[in-house]
Amino acid sequence: MISVQRVLTVLAVAFTAYLAARGLWWTEHVDYPLVIVAALALYLVVTWLCIFWQPVREARPADADEDRARHSERLPVLAQVLALACAVIVPTAISWAVGPGARVDSFGTWYIGGIGALMVIVMVRGRPWTAWAGLALLAVASMAWMGPVPALQLGLVGSVVWLVVAQLVVKLVERAARDTSRLARLQRAASAWQTSQVVRQRERRVQVQKALAVAGPVLTRTVAHAGELTDDDRVEARLAEGKLRDEMRGPRLLDDDVRAELERARRRGANVTVLDEGGLDDVDEAMLTVIRAQLAETLRSASSDRLYIRTSPDARVAVTVVGRSPSVGAPSDEDAVDLWREIPHPGRA
Protein backbone atom coordinates (compact mmCIF):
# COMPACT_ATOMS: atom_id res chain seq x y z
CA MET A 1 0.00 0.00 0.00
CA ILE A 2 1.30 3.44 -0.95
CA SER A 3 1.56 5.69 2.11
CA VAL A 4 0.51 9.32 2.20
CA GLN A 5 4.01 10.34 3.30
CA ARG A 6 5.56 8.67 0.26
CA VAL A 7 3.15 10.41 -2.12
CA LEU A 8 3.85 13.80 -0.54
CA THR A 9 7.60 13.15 -0.74
CA VAL A 10 7.38 12.37 -4.46
CA LEU A 11 5.28 15.48 -5.08
CA ALA A 12 7.75 17.66 -3.17
CA VAL A 13 10.71 16.31 -5.13
CA ALA A 14 8.91 16.74 -8.47
CA PHE A 15 7.71 20.26 -7.70
CA THR A 16 11.08 21.54 -6.51
CA ALA A 17 12.76 19.93 -9.53
CA TYR A 18 10.28 21.73 -11.81
CA LEU A 19 10.97 25.07 -10.15
CA ALA A 20 14.71 24.55 -10.50
CA ALA A 21 14.34 23.51 -14.15
CA ARG A 22 12.74 26.86 -14.90
CA GLY A 23 16.07 28.45 -14.04
CA LEU A 24 17.74 26.61 -16.94
CA TRP A 25 15.23 27.80 -19.55
CA TRP A 26 17.16 30.85 -20.63
CA THR A 27 15.38 33.06 -23.16
CA GLU A 28 18.09 35.71 -23.11
CA HIS A 29 21.85 35.91 -22.73
CA VAL A 30 23.09 35.41 -19.15
CA ASP A 31 26.39 36.71 -17.84
CA TYR A 32 27.55 33.74 -15.73
CA PRO A 33 25.79 30.45 -16.66
CA LEU A 34 28.07 28.32 -14.47
CA VAL A 35 27.04 30.32 -11.41
CA ILE A 36 23.40 29.67 -12.27
CA VAL A 37 24.01 25.95 -12.58
CA ALA A 38 25.93 25.92 -9.27
CA ALA A 39 23.08 27.80 -7.54
CA LEU A 40 20.55 25.35 -8.96
CA ALA A 41 22.62 22.40 -7.76
CA LEU A 42 22.94 23.94 -4.29
CA TYR A 43 19.20 24.52 -4.15
CA LEU A 44 18.33 20.97 -5.17
CA VAL A 45 20.85 19.40 -2.78
CA VAL A 46 19.64 21.44 0.21
CA THR A 47 15.96 21.01 -0.66
CA TRP A 48 16.15 17.26 -1.12
CA LEU A 49 18.30 17.00 1.98
CA CYS A 50 15.51 18.70 3.94
CA ILE A 51 13.01 16.27 2.44
CA PHE A 52 14.89 13.03 3.04
CA TRP A 53 17.13 13.68 6.04
CA GLN A 54 15.72 11.77 9.00
CA PRO A 55 17.39 11.98 12.41
CA VAL A 56 18.54 8.78 14.08
CA ARG A 57 15.55 7.36 15.91
CA GLU A 58 16.14 6.15 19.43
CA ALA A 59 14.40 3.04 20.63
CA ARG A 60 11.44 3.92 22.78
CA PRO A 61 8.64 1.92 24.42
CA ALA A 62 5.40 1.43 22.59
CA ASP A 63 3.51 3.68 24.99
CA ALA A 64 5.92 6.60 24.65
CA ASP A 65 4.44 10.07 24.44
CA GLU A 66 3.44 10.96 20.85
CA ASP A 67 4.50 14.60 21.21
CA ARG A 68 8.04 13.49 22.08
CA ALA A 69 8.02 11.08 19.14
CA ARG A 70 7.07 13.84 16.70
CA HIS A 71 9.65 16.18 18.25
CA SER A 72 12.41 13.61 17.66
CA GLU A 73 11.55 13.52 13.92
CA ARG A 74 11.93 17.26 13.32
CA LEU A 75 14.44 18.67 10.85
CA PRO A 76 17.99 18.56 12.26
CA VAL A 77 19.81 21.80 13.09
CA LEU A 78 22.39 21.41 10.33
CA ALA A 79 19.66 21.12 7.70
CA GLN A 80 18.05 24.30 9.07
CA VAL A 81 21.33 26.17 8.77
CA LEU A 82 21.74 24.98 5.17
CA ALA A 83 18.18 26.04 4.35
CA LEU A 84 18.79 29.55 5.71
CA ALA A 85 22.11 29.78 3.84
CA CYS A 86 20.33 28.71 0.66
CA ALA A 87 17.73 31.46 1.18
CA VAL A 88 20.56 34.02 1.09
CA ILE A 89 22.98 32.52 -1.44
CA VAL A 90 20.63 31.36 -4.20
CA PRO A 91 18.73 34.66 -4.77
CA THR A 92 21.98 36.63 -4.71
CA ALA A 93 23.81 34.23 -7.04
CA ILE A 94 20.95 33.99 -9.56
CA SER A 95 20.30 37.74 -9.66
CA TRP A 96 24.00 38.51 -10.12
CA ALA A 97 24.56 35.76 -12.73
CA VAL A 98 21.63 36.58 -15.04
CA GLY A 99 22.56 40.24 -15.24
CA PRO A 100 20.50 43.42 -14.73
CA GLY A 101 18.42 42.98 -17.87
CA ALA A 102 17.05 39.52 -17.00
CA ARG A 103 16.37 39.77 -13.28
CA VAL A 104 12.58 39.97 -13.78
CA ASP A 105 12.42 37.17 -16.37
CA SER A 106 11.05 33.76 -15.39
CA PHE A 107 14.51 32.13 -15.34
CA GLY A 108 15.71 34.98 -13.12
CA THR A 109 12.81 34.94 -10.64
CA TRP A 110 12.24 31.19 -10.19
CA TYR A 111 14.10 31.29 -6.88
CA ILE A 112 11.19 33.17 -5.24
CA GLY A 113 8.91 30.16 -5.64
CA GLY A 114 11.80 27.75 -5.13
CA ILE A 115 12.91 29.18 -1.78
CA GLY A 116 9.24 29.52 -0.79
CA ALA A 117 8.77 25.79 -1.45
CA LEU A 118 11.90 25.03 0.54
CA MET A 119 10.55 26.98 3.50
CA VAL A 120 7.25 25.11 3.24
CA ILE A 121 9.23 21.87 3.55
CA VAL A 122 11.04 23.26 6.59
CA MET A 123 7.67 24.23 8.09
CA VAL A 124 6.25 20.75 7.52
CA ARG A 125 9.34 19.24 9.14
CA GLY A 126 8.42 21.03 12.36
CA ARG A 127 10.62 24.16 12.25
CA PRO A 128 8.25 27.15 11.87
CA TRP A 129 10.66 29.79 13.17
CA THR A 130 13.34 28.70 10.72
CA ALA A 131 10.81 28.74 7.87
CA TRP A 132 9.66 32.28 8.62
CA ALA A 133 13.25 33.44 9.04
CA GLY A 134 14.14 31.96 5.65
CA LEU A 135 11.16 33.66 4.02
CA ALA A 136 12.24 36.97 5.56
CA LEU A 137 15.74 36.52 4.11
CA LEU A 138 14.18 35.72 0.72
CA ALA A 139 12.07 38.86 0.88
CA VAL A 140 15.06 41.05 1.72
CA ALA A 141 17.24 39.52 -1.05
CA SER A 142 14.57 39.63 -3.77
CA MET A 143 13.53 43.20 -2.97
CA ALA A 144 17.15 44.30 -2.87
CA TRP A 145 17.85 42.91 -6.37
CA MET A 146 14.61 43.72 -8.20
CA GLY A 147 12.73 46.18 -5.97
CA PRO A 148 9.78 45.69 -3.59
CA VAL A 149 6.92 45.92 -6.09
CA PRO A 150 8.34 43.51 -8.71
CA ALA A 151 9.27 41.05 -5.95
CA LEU A 152 5.73 41.08 -4.59
CA GLN A 153 4.24 40.77 -8.06
CA LEU A 154 6.52 37.96 -9.21
CA GLY A 155 5.86 35.43 -6.44
CA LEU A 156 6.76 36.74 -3.01
CA VAL A 157 3.10 37.09 -2.00
CA GLY A 158 2.46 33.54 -3.16
CA SER A 159 5.35 32.23 -1.05
CA VAL A 160 3.91 33.98 1.99
CA VAL A 161 0.50 32.43 1.32
CA TRP A 162 2.07 28.99 0.90
CA LEU A 163 3.81 29.28 4.24
CA VAL A 164 0.69 30.51 6.06
CA VAL A 165 -1.36 27.64 4.64
CA ALA A 166 1.39 25.13 5.49
CA GLN A 167 1.51 26.31 9.09
CA LEU A 168 -2.28 26.06 9.45
CA VAL A 169 -2.28 22.56 7.97
CA VAL A 170 0.56 21.47 10.25
CA LYS A 171 -1.31 22.81 13.29
CA LEU A 172 -4.49 20.99 12.30
CA VAL A 173 -2.64 17.73 11.63
CA GLU A 174 -0.82 17.91 14.96
CA ARG A 175 -4.08 18.56 16.78
CA ALA A 176 -5.71 15.63 15.00
CA ALA A 177 -2.72 13.43 15.87
CA ARG A 178 -2.95 14.44 19.55
CA ASP A 179 -6.68 13.74 19.59
CA THR A 180 -6.14 10.39 17.92
CA SER A 181 -3.42 9.48 20.41
CA ARG A 182 -5.63 10.53 23.31
CA LEU A 183 -8.53 8.47 21.98
CA ALA A 184 -6.22 5.48 21.52
CA ARG A 185 -5.04 5.77 25.14
CA LEU A 186 -8.63 6.02 26.35
CA GLN A 187 -9.56 2.99 24.29
CA ARG A 188 -6.66 1.00 25.72
CA ALA A 189 -7.64 2.05 29.23
CA ALA A 190 -11.26 1.08 28.60
CA SER A 191 -10.19 -2.28 27.18
CA ALA A 192 -7.92 -2.90 30.18
CA TRP A 193 -10.74 -1.99 32.58
CA GLN A 194 -13.16 -4.25 30.75
CA THR A 195 -10.66 -7.09 30.80
CA SER A 196 -10.07 -6.63 34.53
CA GLN A 197 -13.83 -6.72 35.13
CA VAL A 198 -14.13 -9.94 33.15
CA VAL A 199 -11.29 -11.46 35.15
CA ARG A 200 -12.88 -10.35 38.42
CA GLN A 201 -16.22 -11.81 37.40
CA ARG A 202 -14.53 -15.08 36.51
CA GLU A 203 -12.71 -15.09 39.86
CA ARG A 204 -15.97 -14.40 41.67
CA ARG A 205 -17.64 -17.29 39.86
CA VAL A 206 -14.76 -19.57 40.80
CA GLN A 207 -14.97 -18.46 44.43
CA VAL A 208 -18.73 -19.02 44.47
CA GLN A 209 -18.28 -22.50 43.02
CA LYS A 210 -15.65 -23.30 45.65
CA ALA A 211 -17.92 -21.94 48.38
CA LEU A 212 -20.79 -24.09 47.17
CA ALA A 213 -18.53 -27.13 46.98
CA VAL A 214 -17.24 -26.61 50.53
CA ALA A 215 -20.28 -25.24 52.34
CA GLY A 216 -23.03 -26.82 50.25
CA PRO A 217 -23.15 -30.18 52.05
CA VAL A 218 -23.04 -28.52 55.49
CA LEU A 219 -25.82 -26.10 54.59
CA THR A 220 -27.89 -28.93 53.14
CA ARG A 221 -27.62 -30.94 56.35
CA THR A 222 -28.37 -27.85 58.44
CA VAL A 223 -31.57 -27.17 56.50
CA ALA A 224 -32.55 -30.83 56.55
CA HIS A 225 -32.21 -31.02 60.35
CA ALA A 226 -33.82 -27.61 60.99
CA GLY A 227 -30.61 -26.28 62.52
CA GLU A 228 -30.19 -29.17 64.96
CA LEU A 229 -26.56 -30.19 64.33
CA THR A 230 -24.57 -32.97 65.86
CA ASP A 231 -21.08 -32.47 67.19
CA ASP A 232 -19.62 -33.91 64.00
CA ASP A 233 -21.74 -31.54 61.92
CA ARG A 234 -20.52 -28.59 63.95
CA VAL A 235 -16.94 -29.64 63.38
CA GLU A 236 -17.59 -29.91 59.64
CA ALA A 237 -19.23 -26.47 59.66
CA ARG A 238 -16.21 -24.98 61.43
CA LEU A 239 -13.87 -26.64 58.94
CA ALA A 240 -15.95 -25.38 56.02
CA GLU A 241 -15.80 -21.84 57.40
CA GLY A 242 -12.03 -22.08 57.78
CA LYS A 243 -11.61 -23.39 54.23
CA LEU A 244 -13.66 -20.53 52.82
CA ARG A 245 -11.61 -17.96 54.74
CA ASP A 246 -8.38 -19.56 53.53
CA GLU A 247 -9.52 -19.51 49.89
CA MET A 248 -10.48 -15.84 50.12
CA ARG A 249 -7.58 -14.53 52.18
CA GLY A 250 -4.62 -16.59 50.96
CA PRO A 251 -5.27 -18.52 47.74
CA ARG A 252 -1.64 -18.29 46.55
CA LEU A 253 -0.47 -20.04 49.72
CA LEU A 254 -2.66 -23.08 49.16
CA ASP A 255 -2.20 -26.41 47.43
CA ASP A 256 -3.52 -29.86 48.30
CA ASP A 257 -0.83 -30.56 50.91
CA VAL A 258 -1.25 -27.19 52.64
CA ARG A 259 -5.05 -27.56 52.65
CA ALA A 260 -4.74 -31.02 54.18
CA GLU A 261 -2.41 -29.77 56.95
CA LEU A 262 -4.68 -26.80 57.69
CA GLU A 263 -7.66 -29.13 58.02
CA ARG A 264 -5.67 -31.47 60.28
CA ALA A 265 -4.70 -28.54 62.53
CA ARG A 266 -8.30 -27.39 62.79
CA ARG A 267 -9.57 -30.90 63.52
CA ARG A 268 -7.28 -31.10 66.53
CA GLY A 269 -8.80 -27.82 67.75
CA ALA A 270 -6.26 -25.22 66.60
CA ASN A 271 -7.37 -21.75 65.57
CA VAL A 272 -5.72 -21.04 62.20
CA THR A 273 -5.47 -17.70 60.43
CA VAL A 274 -4.17 -17.50 56.85
CA LEU A 275 -3.52 -14.09 55.31
CA ASP A 276 -1.86 -13.13 52.02
CA GLU A 277 -1.27 -9.36 51.89
CA GLY A 278 0.28 -9.34 48.43
CA GLY A 279 3.79 -10.50 49.29
CA LEU A 280 3.65 -13.31 46.72
CA ASP A 281 2.19 -11.39 43.77
CA ASP A 282 5.48 -11.38 41.83
CA VAL A 283 6.44 -14.98 42.64
CA ASP A 284 6.18 -17.50 39.81
CA GLU A 285 4.53 -20.90 40.10
CA ALA A 286 7.80 -22.83 40.48
CA MET A 287 8.84 -20.76 43.51
CA LEU A 288 5.31 -20.98 44.94
CA THR A 289 5.58 -24.77 44.82
CA VAL A 290 8.76 -24.66 46.92
CA ILE A 291 7.23 -22.20 49.41
CA ARG A 292 4.05 -24.28 49.77
CA ALA A 293 6.06 -27.46 50.34
CA GLN A 294 7.99 -25.79 53.20
CA LEU A 295 4.74 -24.37 54.62
CA ALA A 296 3.12 -27.82 54.59
CA GLU A 297 6.17 -29.30 56.32
CA THR A 298 6.03 -26.58 58.99
CA LEU A 299 2.31 -27.15 59.63
CA ARG A 300 2.85 -30.92 59.77
CA SER A 301 5.11 -30.56 62.81
CA ALA A 302 3.15 -27.74 64.50
CA SER A 303 1.26 -28.35 67.73
CA SER A 304 0.31 -24.79 68.72
CA ASP A 305 -3.24 -23.83 69.72
CA ARG A 306 -3.15 -20.73 67.51
CA LEU A 307 -1.42 -20.56 64.15
CA TYR A 308 -0.87 -17.33 62.20
CA ILE A 309 0.30 -17.75 58.60
CA ARG A 310 1.06 -14.51 56.77
CA THR A 311 3.05 -13.42 53.76
CA SER A 312 5.95 -11.12 54.57
CA PRO A 313 6.83 -7.72 53.03
CA ASP A 314 10.51 -8.50 53.55
CA ALA A 315 12.43 -9.07 50.32
CA ARG A 316 14.08 -12.22 51.69
CA VAL A 317 11.18 -13.77 53.64
CA ALA A 318 8.16 -15.16 51.77
CA VAL A 319 5.95 -16.47 54.59
CA THR A 320 5.98 -16.17 58.35
CA VAL A 321 4.40 -18.89 60.54
CA VAL A 322 3.79 -18.05 64.19
CA GLY A 323 2.35 -20.48 66.73
CA ARG A 324 1.04 -19.50 70.15
CA SER A 325 -0.18 -21.63 73.03
CA PRO A 326 -1.29 -20.85 76.63
CA SER A 327 1.75 -20.47 78.87
CA VAL A 328 1.96 -23.04 81.63
CA GLY A 329 2.91 -21.85 85.10
CA ALA A 330 3.64 -18.31 83.95
CA PRO A 331 2.26 -15.27 85.75
CA SER A 332 0.96 -13.77 82.52
CA ASP A 333 -2.38 -14.78 81.03
CA GLU A 334 -1.12 -14.13 77.49
CA ASP A 335 -0.20 -16.93 75.12
CA ALA A 336 3.45 -17.79 74.65
CA VAL A 337 5.11 -18.08 71.26
CA ASP A 338 6.08 -21.71 70.79
CA LEU A 339 6.59 -21.66 66.99
CA TRP A 340 8.36 -19.15 64.79
CA ARG A 341 9.29 -20.04 61.24
CA GLU A 342 10.31 -17.75 58.40
CA ILE A 343 10.11 -19.37 54.98
CA PRO A 344 12.58 -17.59 52.66
CA HIS A 345 12.11 -16.76 49.01
CA PRO A 346 13.85 -19.46 46.97
CA GLY A 347 17.19 -18.12 45.79
CA ARG A 348 17.14 -15.07 48.12
CA ALA A 349 17.92 -16.68 51.43
Side-chain angles (χ1 to χ4, degrees), residues 253 280 291 309-312 317-321 341-343:
L253 287 170
L280 301 179
I291 294 172
I309 305 166
R310 304 182 67 173
T311 58
S312 173
V317 179
V319 180
T320 301
V321 182
R341 172 74 191 281
E342 291 181 341
I343 301 175

Side-chain angles (χ1 to χ4, degrees), residues 210-266:
K210 289 182 178 179
L212 292 176
V214 172
V218 177
L219 294 176
T220 301
R221 288 195 299 272
T222 302
V223 174
H225 294 85
E228 296 293 333
L229 300 179
T230 64
D231 292 340
D232 292 338
D233 290 337
R234 295 180 186 278
V235 171
E236 294 299 325
R238 185 169 62 85
L239 292 175
E241 178 192 5
K243 290 179 181 179
L244 290 176
R245 284 192 283 106
D246 295 343
E247 296 292 342
M248 289 186 294
R249 293 180 178 181
R252 292 179 64 81
L253 287 170
L254 304 178
D255 61 6
D256 292 340
D257 292 339
V258 174
R259 290 187 181 96
E261 294 304 324
L262 291 174
E263 181 176 351
R264 186 187 65 80
R266 289 190 174 103

Side-chain angles (χ1 to χ4, degrees), residues 49-64:
L49 189 66
C50 291
I51 293 174
F52 293 106
W53 191 354
Q54 296 292 339
V56 178
R57 297 185 180 182
E58 298 180 355
R60 57 179 183 270
D63 57 349

Side-chain angles (χ1 to χ4, degrees), residues 123 125 138 167 226 265 287 297 324 328:
M123 174 71 73
R125 292 296 305 274
L138 170 64
Q167 187 164 22
M287 292 185 177
E297 182 64 27
R324 303 176 69 94
V328 179

Side-chain angles (χ1 to χ4, degrees), residues 79-103:
Q80 298 178 66
V81 173
L82 293 175
L84 292 177
C86 190
V88 175
I89 295 173
V90 171
T92 302
I94 295 295
S95 299
W96 175 73
V98 298
R103 286 174 184 167

Side-chain angles (χ1 to χ4, degrees), residues 274-287:
V274 178
L275 186 59
D276 180 5
E277 297 177 314
L280 301 179
D281 290 344
D282 298 329
V283 179
D284 58 28
E285 194 63 30
M287 292 185 177

Side-chain angles (χ1 to χ4, degrees), residues 157-178:
V157 174
S159 295
V160 173
V161 173
W162 287 358
L163 207 55
V164 170
V165 173
Q167 187 164 22
L168 291 176
V169 171
V170 168
K171 291 290 185 183
L172 292 176
V173 171
E174 288 181 349
R175 181 178 300 177
R178 286 195 298 268

